[in-house]
């Protein structure tokens, strides 16, 4: 006993080391950005599945003219739940999920700036989803995801569905606001040494913009739904024209949020594409500054185009002209992005891995959505196309073919980092082609459905023109698309156990998340390397190579 | 793949379906002009699509990884980037100019044709001049949306709104004549849309919206459409029809509506007179007669309902 006294012992001793939590308690109480990110992704993909089933039910009802599969009430509930789920519970939060997991890793931080707030923002999302889906057991809302008044007022929809929708908007909104502040502070303050603004990864740029847009846009919808809540329950008349209120006020407030929301959904997708393309073309991103600047320009213009959703309302010509011009202008920065992405592929050596396929699928699909967007921006043309299936096709090209394809690209790209295992390439490619074919079969023909005179949100249609055959094609496509998505789900679940072990950097990628192990340890990095360009990993690999080639190699 | 999808839909569309790639038109000049504007933008869009998509496919084929191939480590090309920014801006500018050139013809009503229905001078209601044709003459019909039907109120020369001709579901209009619409709603939001007669106009409670159409002579017939704004469970069944007839037929139709309305009015007046007499008799006979007047009231109202529905049937 006495012989060992010479051994130096640390003088600072923790009084008690907290035992690591186990199992589900660990997940429920975690403030680790990676675990929160995983929870975001799991929950939002689950909602994606639910929203997808709702979409398939809608397409089944529309498969043949005068179908009686669903009654009108159920149909209106389904379109409301599909839209709300995909926007509020899938596309927006799935970007927060990727952002949560990868922004700190990409910028060389050990966690988000406010880990507890981060957990709060996830649980607010979960609570919003719970409140909304609880209405399934009572009366889901029937007002469409836009819940236009007076239809959403107590006179026309007195049951609790609309209230559940209001609370969903509030709860997920608070979650997004808290998360956005967190993202902003993290990116502004926790970047690795040497990572100046012009070396910030483009995905982090888009998450930064996403956060700013959410902070600017969410208060408008929070106000709008609060006014609706007081109209419904506390006797106010903000939206009742008989009492001096205005239903147009709802539309302005809703779309002041609703259109930036579109960019909130698609900009992080742009960010994913900007990360994936250079890695698989083995080439730096073409025009880094132009892409970052166009992200900011789109966000700025995106705040000034909301009334292009209201071209058919009784509004003065000067208003219509302003919003037409601002909407057309957005096509310029969007064009810059598309051209720069093609420039990135140009003269590269393109490796056709699944993430790249989804990224290129995104490019082609989004291009069509962008062009139909310009057509819709011309308000005299919009008078014909507004609220028809042409619009449905357009926004699915942007959000499903655009944002969701980008999300799938990100999933295949980052899955090895999150799990330490690769997803199966063969199944991934089959899934991609099935999804791409299914998507275009579903939605390309919907342009013609709209031009043939079919409005959106109708549960049945007469057998006139070519509507019957168009709709049947669209329904068949939807099921092909569903199978494609299912294949990726199977792929992800199977690869968790059976995927090839990936190692820290399977793609030879460019950004810092690939510097650490897969999956990363709790503290992310033991040492954060100094960043000297927008592609730090490329620099590090080059440095290792250089030292290895020296006559007397020293350890890097 | 996209080409496959296009091919598939092309095959399914069959020959010469005008609404396959462009909005419907052919019933009114504004619909035709929207169709033209759409065609211009569509053509520009197709060219852009082919150019950009072609470049993408070319890059995918030409620059795929081959043994020995080395990626060019290029960070950008300022001249090229400025070039395509300017190119995109130029296209937007051209589309904007085309739109502004075509806008007045779509938004502002045309004058009626010389052989159209002669609009009586007293018919015009006080309306913003910009919403009327240049000559100030149009058949101005009041369109009211309600769950789940459209009501049309025709103008007349007097100030009494009670005796105006009304119709539900089907609007009868003369050809060759500019029809301007005042669109309102009495409950939730609706949208007026007859695809062949031009664009939509939302019907929103508390607001009046405006649109117009002019069906040319020789295109008499029925034009159909339906409500285009989710208005409740029966939204899909809120249909609208416009039946275009020759000006002569319209004169007859309006006259017959007027006369049946007048007859109904006379009948209603007679019933009211009778009612007043009965009431007076009841009042004279005092208390025990209260029951009698009670039985009289429903009888009278049923009869006037009959008169109204007779008028309604005549309208249909």
């Amino acid at each position: 006993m006495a012989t060992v006294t010479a051994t130096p012992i640390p003088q600072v001793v923790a009084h008690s080391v907290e035992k690591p939590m186990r199992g589900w308690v660990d997940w429920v109480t975690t403030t680790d950005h990676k675990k929160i990110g995983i929870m975001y992704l799991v929950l939002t993909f689950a909602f994606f599945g639910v929203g997808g089933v709702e979409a398939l039910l809608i397409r089944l009802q529309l498969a043949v003219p005068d179908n009686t599969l669903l009654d009108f009430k159920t149909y209106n509930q389904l379109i409301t739940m599909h839209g709300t789920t995909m926007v509020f519970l899938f596309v927006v939060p799935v970007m927060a999920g990727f952002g949560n997991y990868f922004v700190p890793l990409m910028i060389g931080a050990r966690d988000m700036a406010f880990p507890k707030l981060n957990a709060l923002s996830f649980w607010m999302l979960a609570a919003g989803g719970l409140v909304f889906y609880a209405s399934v057991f009572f009366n889901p809302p029937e007002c469409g995801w836009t819940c236009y008044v007076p239809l959403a007022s107590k006179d026309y929809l007195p049951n609790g569905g609309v209230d559940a929708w209001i609370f969903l908007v509030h709860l997920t909104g608070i979650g997004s606001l808290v998360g956005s502040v967190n993202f902003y502070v993290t990116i502004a303050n926790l970047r690795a040494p040497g990572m100046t603004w012009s070396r910030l990864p483009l995905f982090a740029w888009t998450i930064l913009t996403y956060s700013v847009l959410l902070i600017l846009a969410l208060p408008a919808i929070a106000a709008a739904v609060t006014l609706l809540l007081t109209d419904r329950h506390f006797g106010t008349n903000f939206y009742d024209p008989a009492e001096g209120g205005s239903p147009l006020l709802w539309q302005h407030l809703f779309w002041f949020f609703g259109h930036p929301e579109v960019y909130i959904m698609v900009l992080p997708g742009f960010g994913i594409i900007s990360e994936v393309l250079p890695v698989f073309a083995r080439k730096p991103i073409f025009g880094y500054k132009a892409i970052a600047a166009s992200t900011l320009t789109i966000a700025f213009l995106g705040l000034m185009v909301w009334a292009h959703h209201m071209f058919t309302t009784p509004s003065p010509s000067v208003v219509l002209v302003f919003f037409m011009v601002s909407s057309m202008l957005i096509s310029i920065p969007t064009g810059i992005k598309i051209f720069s992405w093609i420039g990135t592929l140009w003269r590269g050596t393109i490796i056709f891995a699944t993430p790249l396929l989804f990224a290129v699928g995104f490019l082609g699909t989004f291009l069509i959505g962008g062009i139909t967007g310009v057509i819709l921006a011309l308000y005299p043309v919009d008078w014909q196309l507004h609220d028809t299936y042409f619009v449905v096709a357009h926004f699915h090209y942007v959000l499903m073919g655009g944002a969701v394809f980008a999300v799938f690209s990100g999933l295949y790209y980052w899955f090895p980092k999150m799990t330490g295992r690769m997803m199966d390439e063969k199944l991934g490619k089959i899934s991609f082609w099935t999804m791409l074919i299914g998507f275009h079969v579903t939605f390309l023909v919907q342009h013609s459905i709209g031009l043939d005179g079919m409005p959106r949100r109708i549960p049945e249609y007469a057998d006139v023109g070519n509507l019957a055959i168009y709709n049947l094609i669209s329904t068949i496509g939807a099921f092909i698309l569903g199978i494609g998505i299912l294949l990726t789900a199977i792929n992800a679940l199977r690869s968790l156990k059976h995927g090839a072990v990936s190692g820290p950097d399977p793609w030879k990628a460019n950004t810092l998340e690939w510097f650490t192990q897969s999956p990363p340890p709790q503290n992310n990095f033991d040492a954060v390397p100094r960043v000297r360009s927008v592609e730090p990993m490329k620099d590090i690999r080059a440095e290792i190579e250089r030292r290895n080639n020296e006559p007397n190699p020293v350890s890097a | 793949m996209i080409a496959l999808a296009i091919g598939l839909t092309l095959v399914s569309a069959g020959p010469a379906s005008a609404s396959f790639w462009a909005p419907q038109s052919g019933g009114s000049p504004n619909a035709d002009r929207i169709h033209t504007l759409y065609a211009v933008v569509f053509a520009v869009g197709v060219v852009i699509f082919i150019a950009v998509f072609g470049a993408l496919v070319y890059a995918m084929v030409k620059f795929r990884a081959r043994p020995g191939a080395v990626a060019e480590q290029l960070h950008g090309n300022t001249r090229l980037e400025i070039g395509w920014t300017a190119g995109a801006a130029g296209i937007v500018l051209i589309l904007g100019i085309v739109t502004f050139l075509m806008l007045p013809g779509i938004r502002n009503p045309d004058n009626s044709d010389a052989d159209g229905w002669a609009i009586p001078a007293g018919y015009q209601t006080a309306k913003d001049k910009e919403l009327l044709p240049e000559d100030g003459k149009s058949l101005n019909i009041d369109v009211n949306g309600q769950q789940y039907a459209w009501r049309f109120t025709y103008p007349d020369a007097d100030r009494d709104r009670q005796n105006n001709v009304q119709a539900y579901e089907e609007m009868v209009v003369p050809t060759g004549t500019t029809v301007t619409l005042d669109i309102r709603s009495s409950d939730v939001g609706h949208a007026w849309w007859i695809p062949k007669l031009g664009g939509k106009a939302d019907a929103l409670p508390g607001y009046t919206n405006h649109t117009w159409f002019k069906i040319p002579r020789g295109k008499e017939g029925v034009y159909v459409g339906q409500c285009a704004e989710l208005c409740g469970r029966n939204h899909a069944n809120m249909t609208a029809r416009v039946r275009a007839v020759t000006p002569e037929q319209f004169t007859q139709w309006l006259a017959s509506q007027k006369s049946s309305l007048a007859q109904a009015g006379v009948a209603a007046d007679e019933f009211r007179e009778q009612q007043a007499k009965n009431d007076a008799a009841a009042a004279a006979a005092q208390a025990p007669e209260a029951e009698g007047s009670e039985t009289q009231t429903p009888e009278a109202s049923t009869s006037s309902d009959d008169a109204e529905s007779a008028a309604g049937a005549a309208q249909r």
Side-chain angles (χ1 to χ4, degrees), chain A residues 209-233:
Chain A
T209 318
Y210 161 97
S211 306
V212 172
L213 278 179
L214 276 168
I215 291 168
L216 292 174
L218 277 169
I221 187 131
V225 298
T226 306
L227 301 185
L228 181 59
L229 191 72
T230 59
D231 266 17
R232 286 174 61 84
H233 296 290

PDB file of all heavy atoms in Angstrom, chain A residues 209-233:
ATOM      1  N   THR A 209     -29.439  31.174 -44.380  1.00  0.00           N
ATOM      2  CA  THR A 209     -30.500  31.914 -45.062  1.00  0.00           C
ATOM      3  C   THR A 209     -31.880  31.386 -44.663  1.00  0.00           C
ATOM      4  O   THR A 209     -32.821  32.153 -44.446  1.00  0.00           O
ATOM      5  CB  THR A 209     -30.310  31.793 -46.582  1.00  0.00           C
ATOM      6  OG1 THR A 209     -28.929  31.938 -46.875  1.00  0.00           O
ATOM      7  CG2 THR A 209     -31.096  32.834 -47.315  1.00  0.00           C
ATOM      8  N   TYR A 210     -31.963  30.055 -44.572  1.00  0.00           N
ATOM      9  CA  TYR A 210     -33.187  29.390 -44.107  1.00  0.00           C
ATOM     10  C   TYR A 210     -33.611  29.961 -42.754  1.00  0.00           C
ATOM     11  O   TYR A 210     -34.777  30.311 -42.535  1.00  0.00           O
ATOM     12  CB  TYR A 210     -32.859  27.895 -44.042  1.00  0.00           C
ATOM     13  CG  TYR A 210     -33.685  26.931 -43.228  1.00  0.00           C
ATOM     14  CD1 TYR A 210     -34.677  26.175 -43.844  1.00  0.00           C
ATOM     15  CD2 TYR A 210     -33.413  26.692 -41.871  1.00  0.00           C
ATOM     16  CE1 TYR A 210     -35.390  25.221 -43.119  1.00  0.00           C
ATOM     17  CE2 TYR A 210     -34.115  25.746 -41.153  1.00  0.00           C
ATOM     18  CZ  TYR A 210     -35.106  25.009 -41.772  1.00  0.00           C
ATOM     19  OH  TYR A 210     -35.805  24.071 -41.059  1.00  0.00           O
ATOM     20  N   SER A 211     -32.630  30.113 -41.855  1.00  0.00           N
ATOM     21  CA  SER A 211     -32.931  30.611 -40.517  1.00  0.00           C
ATOM     22  C   SER A 211     -33.437  32.045 -40.567  1.00  0.00           C
ATOM     23  O   SER A 211     -34.431  32.389 -39.917  1.00  0.00           O
ATOM     24  CB  SER A 211     -31.682  30.558 -39.641  1.00  0.00           C
ATOM     25  OG  SER A 211     -31.152  29.272 -39.650  1.00  0.00           O
ATOM     26  N   VAL A 212     -32.750  32.870 -41.349  1.00  0.00           N
ATOM     27  CA  VAL A 212     -33.151  34.279 -41.413  1.00  0.00           C
ATOM     28  C   VAL A 212     -34.565  34.383 -41.995  1.00  0.00           C
ATOM     29  O   VAL A 212     -35.419  35.118 -41.479  1.00  0.00           O
ATOM     30  CB  VAL A 212     -32.149  35.083 -42.263  1.00  0.00           C
ATOM     31  CG1 VAL A 212     -32.659  36.494 -42.489  1.00  0.00           C
ATOM     32  CG2 VAL A 212     -30.799  35.110 -41.577  1.00  0.00           C
ATOM     33  N   LEU A 213     -34.847  33.609 -43.043  1.00  0.00           N
ATOM     34  CA  LEU A 213     -36.182  33.652 -43.644  1.00  0.00           C
ATOM     35  C   LEU A 213     -37.244  33.207 -42.644  1.00  0.00           C
ATOM     36  O   LEU A 213     -38.317  33.810 -42.550  1.00  0.00           O
ATOM     37  CB  LEU A 213     -36.234  32.756 -44.885  1.00  0.00           C
ATOM     38  CG  LEU A 213     -35.704  33.356 -46.178  1.00  0.00           C
ATOM     39  CD1 LEU A 213     -35.798  32.340 -47.301  1.00  0.00           C
ATOM     40  CD2 LEU A 213     -36.481  34.612 -46.550  1.00  0.00           C
ATOM     41  N   LEU A 214     -36.957  32.141 -41.894  1.00  0.00           N
ATOM     42  CA  LEU A 214     -37.939  31.674 -40.913  1.00  0.00           C
ATOM     43  C   LEU A 214     -38.189  32.760 -39.861  1.00  0.00           C
ATOM     44  O   LEU A 214     -39.336  33.017 -39.484  1.00  0.00           O
ATOM     45  CB  LEU A 214     -37.444  30.396 -40.232  1.00  0.00           C
ATOM     46  CG  LEU A 214     -37.730  29.091 -40.984  1.00  0.00           C
ATOM     47  CD1 LEU A 214     -36.943  27.944 -40.378  1.00  0.00           C
ATOM     48  CD2 LEU A 214     -39.209  28.766 -40.975  1.00  0.00           C
ATOM     49  N   ILE A 215     -37.115  33.408 -39.412  1.00  0.00           N
ATOM     50  CA  ILE A 215     -37.280  34.442 -38.387  1.00  0.00           C
ATOM     51  C   ILE A 215     -38.116  35.599 -38.934  1.00  0.00           C
ATOM     52  O   ILE A 215     -38.937  36.174 -38.226  1.00  0.00           O
ATOM     53  CB  ILE A 215     -35.897  34.931 -37.899  1.00  0.00           C
ATOM     54  CG1 ILE A 215     -35.200  33.814 -37.106  1.00  0.00           C
ATOM     55  CG2 ILE A 215     -36.030  36.180 -37.048  1.00  0.00           C
ATOM     56  CD1 ILE A 215     -33.743  34.060 -36.819  1.00  0.00           C
ATOM     57  N   LEU A 216     -37.954  35.913 -40.220  1.00  0.00           N
ATOM     58  CA  LEU A 216     -38.711  37.033 -40.791  1.00  0.00           C
ATOM     59  C   LEU A 216     -40.149  36.640 -41.130  1.00  0.00           C
ATOM     60  O   LEU A 216     -41.062  37.461 -41.027  1.00  0.00           O
ATOM     61  CB  LEU A 216     -38.015  37.541 -42.059  1.00  0.00           C
ATOM     62  CG  LEU A 216     -36.667  38.225 -41.838  1.00  0.00           C
ATOM     63  CD1 LEU A 216     -36.018  38.560 -43.161  1.00  0.00           C
ATOM     64  CD2 LEU A 216     -36.841  39.482 -40.995  1.00  0.00           C
ATOM     65  N   ALA A 217     -40.361  35.392 -41.541  1.00  0.00           N
ATOM     66  CA  ALA A 217     -41.677  35.033 -42.074  1.00  0.00           C
ATOM     67  C   ALA A 217     -42.625  34.475 -41.015  1.00  0.00           C
ATOM     68  O   ALA A 217     -43.837  34.692 -41.085  1.00  0.00           O
ATOM     69  CB  ALA A 217     -41.522  34.016 -43.206  1.00  0.00           C
ATOM     70  N   LEU A 218     -42.088  33.739 -40.033  1.00  0.00           N
ATOM     71  CA  LEU A 218     -42.973  33.074 -39.086  1.00  0.00           C
ATOM     72  C   LEU A 218     -43.858  34.014 -38.268  1.00  0.00           C
ATOM     73  O   LEU A 218     -45.018  33.677 -38.014  1.00  0.00           O
ATOM     74  CB  LEU A 218     -42.165  32.169 -38.149  1.00  0.00           C
ATOM     75  CG  LEU A 218     -41.852  30.791 -38.732  1.00  0.00           C
ATOM     76  CD1 LEU A 218     -40.841  30.069 -37.871  1.00  0.00           C
ATOM     77  CD2 LEU A 218     -43.117  29.951 -38.847  1.00  0.00           C
ATOM     78  N   PRO A 219     -43.375  35.189 -37.858  1.00  0.00           N
ATOM     79  CA  PRO A 219     -44.273  36.066 -37.098  1.00  0.00           C
ATOM     80  C   PRO A 219     -45.566  36.391 -37.841  1.00  0.00           C
ATOM     81  O   PRO A 219     -46.620  36.526 -37.221  1.00  0.00           O
ATOM     82  CB  PRO A 219     -43.427  37.320 -36.870  1.00  0.00           C
ATOM     83  CG  PRO A 219     -42.030  36.828 -36.882  1.00  0.00           C
ATOM     84  CD  PRO A 219     -42.006  35.727 -37.900  1.00  0.00           C
ATOM     85  N   ALA A 220     -45.505  36.484 -39.186  1.00  0.00           N
ATOM     86  CA  ALA A 220     -46.705  36.826 -39.942  1.00  0.00           C
ATOM     87  C   ALA A 220     -47.754  35.736 -39.805  1.00  0.00           C
ATOM     88  O   ALA A 220     -48.933  36.020 -39.551  1.00  0.00           O
ATOM     89  CB  ALA A 220     -46.356  37.058 -41.414  1.00  0.00           C
ATOM     90  N   ILE A 221     -47.341  34.469 -39.947  1.00  0.00           N
ATOM     91  CA  ILE A 221     -48.354  33.417 -39.841  1.00  0.00           C
ATOM     92  C   ILE A 221     -48.770  33.214 -38.392  1.00  0.00           C
ATOM     93  O   ILE A 221     -49.933  32.900 -38.108  1.00  0.00           O
ATOM     94  CB  ILE A 221     -47.896  32.090 -40.470  1.00  0.00           C
ATOM     95  CG1 ILE A 221     -49.055  31.082 -40.473  1.00  0.00           C
ATOM     96  CG2 ILE A 221     -46.749  31.460 -39.721  1.00  0.00           C
ATOM     97  CD1 ILE A 221     -49.320  30.416 -41.706  1.00  0.00           C
ATOM     98  N   ALA A 222     -47.841  33.462 -37.454  1.00  0.00           N
ATOM     99  CA  ALA A 222     -48.227  33.352 -36.048  1.00  0.00           C
ATOM    100  C   ALA A 222     -49.332  34.356 -35.742  1.00  0.00           C
ATOM    101  O   ALA A 222     -50.336  34.038 -35.090  1.00  0.00           O
ATOM    102  CB  ALA A 222     -47.015  33.586 -35.154  1.00  0.00           C
ATOM    103  N   ALA A 223     -49.168  35.580 -36.269  1.00  0.00           N
ATOM    104  CA  ALA A 223     -50.204  36.596 -36.077  1.00  0.00           C
ATOM    105  C   ALA A 223     -51.486  36.166 -36.767  1.00  0.00           C
ATOM    106  O   ALA A 223     -52.580  36.239 -36.188  1.00  0.00           O
ATOM    107  CB  ALA A 223     -49.721  37.931 -36.641  1.00  0.00           C
ATOM    108  N   ALA A 224     -51.362  35.672 -37.997  1.00  0.00           N
ATOM    109  CA  ALA A 224     -52.559  35.319 -38.762  1.00  0.00           C
ATOM    110  C   ALA A 224     -53.373  34.252 -38.049  1.00  0.00           C
ATOM    111  O   ALA A 224     -54.601  34.371 -37.923  1.00  0.00           O
ATOM    112  CB  ALA A 224     -52.148  34.835 -40.156  1.00  0.00           C
ATOM    113  N   VAL A 225     -52.714  33.194 -37.568  1.00  0.00           N
ATOM    114  CA  VAL A 225     -53.494  32.125 -36.941  1.00  0.00           C
ATOM    115  C   VAL A 225     -54.000  32.539 -35.561  1.00  0.00           C
ATOM    116  O   VAL A 225     -55.043  32.065 -35.119  1.00  0.00           O
ATOM    117  CB  VAL A 225     -52.712  30.789 -36.858  1.00  0.00           C
ATOM    118  CG1 VAL A 225     -52.369  30.276 -38.238  1.00  0.00           C
ATOM    119  CG2 VAL A 225     -51.489  30.890 -35.987  1.00  0.00           C
ATOM    120  N   THR A 226     -53.286  33.462 -34.906  1.00  0.00           N
ATOM    121  CA  THR A 226     -53.807  33.957 -33.632  1.00  0.00           C
ATOM    122  C   THR A 226     -55.092  34.740 -33.858  1.00  0.00           C
ATOM    123  O   THR A 226     -56.077  34.582 -33.121  1.00  0.00           O
ATOM    124  CB  THR A 226     -52.753  34.837 -32.935  1.00  0.00           C
ATOM    125  OG1 THR A 226     -51.543  34.098 -32.833  1.00  0.00           O
ATOM    126  CG2 THR A 226     -53.212  35.241 -31.552  1.00  0.00           C
ATOM    127  N   LEU A 227     -55.094  35.584 -34.907  1.00  0.00           N
ATOM    128  CA  LEU A 227     -56.325  36.314 -35.226  1.00  0.00           C
ATOM    129  C   LEU A 227     -57.449  35.345 -35.565  1.00  0.00           C
ATOM    130  O   LEU A 227     -58.603  35.539 -35.176  1.00  0.00           O
ATOM    131  CB  LEU A 227     -56.089  37.260 -36.408  1.00  0.00           C
ATOM    132  CG  LEU A 227     -55.018  38.337 -36.254  1.00  0.00           C
ATOM    133  CD1 LEU A 227     -55.016  39.258 -37.461  1.00  0.00           C
ATOM    134  CD2 LEU A 227     -55.225  39.137 -34.990  1.00  0.00           C
ATOM    135  N   LEU A 228     -57.113  34.274 -36.279  1.00  0.00           N
ATOM    136  CA  LEU A 228     -58.131  33.284 -36.627  1.00  0.00           C
ATOM    137  C   LEU A 228     -58.666  32.608 -35.367  1.00  0.00           C
ATOM    138  O   LEU A 228     -59.873  32.397 -35.219  1.00  0.00           O
ATOM    139  CB  LEU A 228     -57.530  32.240 -37.577  1.00  0.00           C
ATOM    140  CG  LEU A 228     -58.476  31.145 -38.068  1.00  0.00           C
ATOM    141  CD1 LEU A 228     -59.664  31.734 -38.815  1.00  0.00           C
ATOM    142  CD2 LEU A 228     -57.734  30.165 -38.976  1.00  0.00           C
ATOM    143  N   LEU A 229     -57.756  32.326 -34.445  1.00  0.00           N
ATOM    144  CA  LEU A 229     -58.161  31.680 -33.188  1.00  0.00           C
ATOM    145  C   LEU A 229     -59.112  32.587 -32.401  1.00  0.00           C
ATOM    146  O   LEU A 229     -60.147  32.130 -31.904  1.00  0.00           O
ATOM    147  CB  LEU A 229     -56.910  31.361 -32.358  1.00  0.00           C
ATOM    148  CG  LEU A 229     -57.122  30.470 -31.145  1.00  0.00           C
ATOM    149  CD1 LEU A 229     -57.388  29.044 -31.602  1.00  0.00           C
ATOM    150  CD2 LEU A 229     -55.899  30.483 -30.234  1.00  0.00           C
ATOM    151  N   THR A 230     -58.776  33.871 -32.317  1.00  0.00           N
ATOM    152  CA  THR A 230     -59.663  34.763 -31.559  1.00  0.00           C
ATOM    153  C   THR A 230     -60.976  34.969 -32.314  1.00  0.00           C
ATOM    154  O   THR A 230     -62.029  35.081 -31.711  1.00  0.00           O
ATOM    155  CB  THR A 230     -58.991  36.122 -31.275  1.00  0.00           C
ATOM    156  OG1 THR A 230     -58.650  36.718 -32.522  1.00  0.00           O
ATOM    157  CG2 THR A 230     -57.759  35.964 -30.425  1.00  0.00           C
ATOM    158  N   ASP A 231     -60.927  34.982 -33.642  1.00  0.00           N
ATOM    159  CA  ASP A 231     -62.164  35.059 -34.421  1.00  0.00           C
ATOM    160  C   ASP A 231     -63.053  33.858 -34.140  1.00  0.00           C
ATOM    161  O   ASP A 231     -64.271  33.968 -34.017  1.00  0.00           O
ATOM    162  CB  ASP A 231     -61.856  35.088 -35.926  1.00  0.00           C
ATOM    163  CG  ASP A 231     -61.783  36.498 -36.482  1.00  0.00           C
ATOM    164  OD1 ASP A 231     -61.640  37.422 -35.664  1.00  0.00           O
ATOM    165  OD2 ASP A 231     -61.856  36.661 -37.707  1.00  0.00           O
ATOM    166  N   ARG A 232     -62.430  32.709 -34.030  1.00  0.00           N
ATOM    167  CA  ARG A 232     -63.201  31.483 -33.871  1.00  0.00           C
ATOM    168  C   ARG A 232     -63.772  31.330 -32.470  1.00  0.00           C
ATOM    169  O   ARG A 232     -64.845  30.772 -32.294  1.00  0.00           O
ATOM    170  CB  ARG A 232     -62.333  30.263 -34.199  1.00  0.00           C
ATOM    171  CG  ARG A 232     -62.062  30.074 -35.681  1.00  0.00           C
ATOM    172  CD  ARG A 232     -61.078  28.954 -35.923  1.00  0.00           C
ATOM    173  NE  ARG A 232     -61.577  27.677 -35.431  1.00  0.00           N
ATOM    174  CZ  ARG A 232     -62.393  26.875 -36.116  1.00  0.00           C
ATOM    175  NH1 ARG A 232     -62.784  27.223 -37.311  1.00  0.00           N
ATOM    176  NH2 ARG A 232     -62.818  25.736 -35.597  1.00  0.00           N
ATOM    177  N   HIS A 233     -63.037  31.821 -31.455  1.00  0.00           N
ATOM    178  CA  HIS A 233     -63.447  31.496 -30.085  1.00  0.00           C
ATOM    179  C   HIS A 233     -63.713  32.680 -29.179  1.00  0.00           C
ATOM    180  O   HIS A 233     -64.346  32.528 -28.149  1.00  0.00           O
ATOM    181  CB  HIS A 233     -62.382  30.611 -29.432  1.00  0.00           C
ATOM    182  CG  HIS A 233     -62.240  29.292 -30.110  1.00  0.00           C
ATOM    183  ND1 HIS A 233     -63.204  28.323 -30.031  1.00  0.00           N
ATOM    184  CD2 HIS A 233     -61.285  28.795 -30.914  1.00  0.00           C
ATOM    185  CE1 HIS A 233     -62.836  27.273 -30.747  1.00  0.00           C
ATOM    186  NE2 HIS A 233     -61.670  27.541 -31.309  1.00  0.00           N
TER     187      HIS A 233
END
